Amino acid sequence: MDAGTKQLADILNGNRVLEVPYYQRSYVWKEEQWSRFLSDMEYITSTGRDYFLGSIILKQQPTGISPFDVQSIIDGQQRFTTFALFFKSLCLKTDDMETFESKFMVRDRKTKTRQTAIRHSINDREDFEKIVALQTDEPFTSLHTSNIIRAYNYFQANINPDKIDIDTLLNHVIFIGISLQQGEDEQVIFDTINSLGVRLTTGELLKNYFFTESTREEYEELWMPIFEKDRAMSNYWDEEVNSGRLKRANIDFFFTAYLNIKIQDPALKVSGDHKIRYRRSEGLFNNYKDFITTYGQKKKDMIYDILDYALIYHENINPEIAKGEIPGTPGIERINFLIFVLEYTTIVPYVLYLLKNVPDTAERNAMFGYIESYILRRQICKSDNKNFSDLFSENLILNQVTTFESLKDYIESKDENQALALPLDRQITRCCHTQSYPNKKSLAILYLLETAVREGKPHATRLYPFERYSLEHLMPKSWEESWPLPDNVTEEQRDTAVGCLGNLAMIPGKLNSSISNASWAVKKDGKGKNQGITYYASDIELLADVVSSPVWNEENISERADWIARKANEVWPSYLPEEDDSDVSESVGIPESEDSGTARNMSQDYTQFSLNGARATSKSQFVTDFVRAYVQKHPEKTFAELRNVFSIDLCSKGYKFIGFLCSEEEYEAWDNKYKSKRYSINKPGGRLSSADGISFYVNTQWSIDGMDGILKLAKSEGFKVTRQEHSTPLRHRLFSRNQ
């Protein structure tokens, strides 16, 4: 190895070819770097002083094969490429192509041909050589745009040739040049560069770690098709995505997720201390090397496993999800929305694990739907996210949770008061009245809900992509001027109402400020050329009733918060047993304290049913009463025959139970902490008997949709059923303490 000070003119000497190795990244500099570079070149020209531009590392390639001195660029590709594009534009402007060709072209005297002195990698070679071949000083146009083209066009538009002197630059741009001979190991140099802070992606470092010149064919057969097939593929992996508070290359994001999956393999027995270290995104390349060495992983086997997961990742993970449509039913598109819009990046390892290990699409989508319910319910309730990352990066993978039922069982094992618990329906309803959220999160909740609510319904227009919508407070945050405060409402209560989901709307546009803060009549219908809510809200399900309302006040907000909560509980079901409907209703609308100004709302679906003219009861009590009446009508039916009538197919989907009917013996043997709520053991008349003497209980977990089959069965048996819509009179109770 040889090191020393080198001028730019020494390196580009007319006989040397600098070759970008196949494993290096594409050209990634952007306007921030180009602007600084141009400023530096003007500074060097004006001062005439030597200017240090860092270290470069070149490795000598075998001689005799080429008529030129060929050296690989181990470090310096971005700077040399920028110099070539910069000088090309400058020389075209100054009509000095002779200087450009003397430095950035080499002549083969035998064949009397010229070629570029910088040979680019496969991803950038075509664009770079087209730029080098330009003959006129004008922007370069192309059907696609790469960073190579952008850089040239930036210099073409911004270079002032009066401020730049080529000879001064060639003689005063200084590098520390490090030259490696053929036998020296560039891997050591790569590791050294990384330790000194050069920002190479984990993918680039791993590529160099796994492959060498001697295994180039394996690289081209395995790695290239997945990571570097073409420009679109390279752009996908190079794209920056949000990961917590940081922006990282998509490829780094993938490699973090993959290692999180790999270390949970029970067969490897990775220690707890190592798991903590390996899960960190910092020092990711070193973590890979340590993991491979410590746990005896064969490189080739790991390459195949990485590529399997990388293909799955590329086919399913979409950082651009906010720019396209998403369906209203559970699936990977909605999961992408959670990852990249709501920024739940910690779920990626488990999502990849499911994509690889759950081949049945219906089962996998059911699990994705449950994950969505879990996240959105916690988002609405602003649940504590302590240990949330552990759940998706470790626990679910380590326990090999790969079925819908096992996922539900795992989440249901968390007690209501634990940090990772799934919020109940009543908590969702309360939070729709009381919680406020950052604008982007509020908009994301409404958008996901809108896509699900409108699914399967005919609409005049389709939804726009998420990024086209903005959030609007129906009653404005600046309400003081045009929205007088009623005597029975405090400022604190109004501010709570203004910020809650019941008062928020997603609209495909942005209201003029004069409309946004105006009275309800103006805000709804607009004024002059400025459109109002009605114009923007057409065909949006979540605003259908809003735009028909002649007034908008705390009462309307409360009613809409109830409606949104009901829809949220339908779209994102918990499958957890709730208290009996009639029991919960007593606590609805009672403020948490005398002076808190915050109301506790636990309303849910209070639809009641009457059997043969008897007093109307909750869904769960009605079903129990109906089964008892059926048994009395058919006293000869055995338990098996009753089970055939009251089959599990009638039950609401998703809940954990033994069946519609559960024998006393089955109930006692069932290990489920919620079983006393899932069956009628505590209901009046909840213990029944069949003709063959078997005692049994009745399922109590019913959604309003799940009641349809029960009602049809009851009517087919000649029973008279009356349905009573019963909603909590919250609007009469929410502010009662101030009246």
Side-chain angles (χ1 to χ4, degrees), residues 10-139:
D10 296 331
I11 300 167
L12 299 167
N13 59 16
N15 188 53
R16 179 174 290 137
V17 173
L18 303 180
E19 187 174 67
V20 179
Y22 68 94
Y23 52 73
Q24 285 208 20
R25 72 170 86 180
S26 302
Y27 180 70
V28 296
W29 275 21
K30 296 182 179 178
E31 186 168 340
E32 179 183 353
Q33 288 82 23
W34 305 328
S35 175
R36 180 177 175 181
F37 180 91
L38 181 56
S39 177
D40 288 345
M41 297 305 102
E42 292 176 352
Y43 171 80
I44 297 168
T45 298
S46 65
T47 63
R49 296 179 179 177
D50 287 348
Y51 193 86
F52 178 61
L53 271 181
S55 63
I56 58 169
I57 303 172
L58 305 176
K59 182 176 181 180
Q60 186 69 52
Q61 295 303 301
T63 58
I65 299 176
S66 169
F68 311 113
D69 172 24
V70 180
Q71 301 196 17
S72 292
I73 307 174
I74 306 301
D75 179 30
Q77 178 212 155
Q78 306 293 318
R79 284 165 289 170
F80 283 129
T81 301
T82 304
F83 268 114
L85 299 172
F86 170 81
F87 273 111
K88 180 65 181 183
S89 177
L90 178 61
C91 290
L92 283 172
K93 290 180 181 297
T94 58
D95 195 23
D96 187 11
M97 292 309 299
E98 183 179 349
T99 298
F100 179 81
E101 291 179 358
S102 69
K103 299 301 179 185
F104 291 95
M105 304 289 289
V106 290
R107 178 188 293 275
D108 185 339
R109 297 187 183 280
K110 289 184 178 180
T111 61
K112 297 182 180 181
T113 58
R114 285 182 176 274
Q115 59 178 278
T116 58
I118 299 177
R119 291 179 185 164
H120 252 283
S121 61
I122 189 171
N123 296 317
D124 287 329
R125 184 176 302 158
E126 182 179 354
D127 286 344
F128 182 76
E129 292 185 353
K130 285 180 179 178
I131 297 294
V132 170
L134 288 175
Q135 297 297 316
T136 57
D137 177 27
E138 57 187 20

Side-chain angles (χ1 to χ4, degrees), residues 707-730:
M707 290 294 293
D708 290 344
I710 305 297
L711 300 181
K712 289 179 182 178
L713 178 59
K715 291 175 182 178
S716 71
E717 284 291 322
F719 293 99
K720 181 182 177 182
V721 178
T722 305
R723 178 183 183 132
Q724 294 184 8
E725 299 291 344
H726 180 71
S727 59
T728 306
L730 179 68

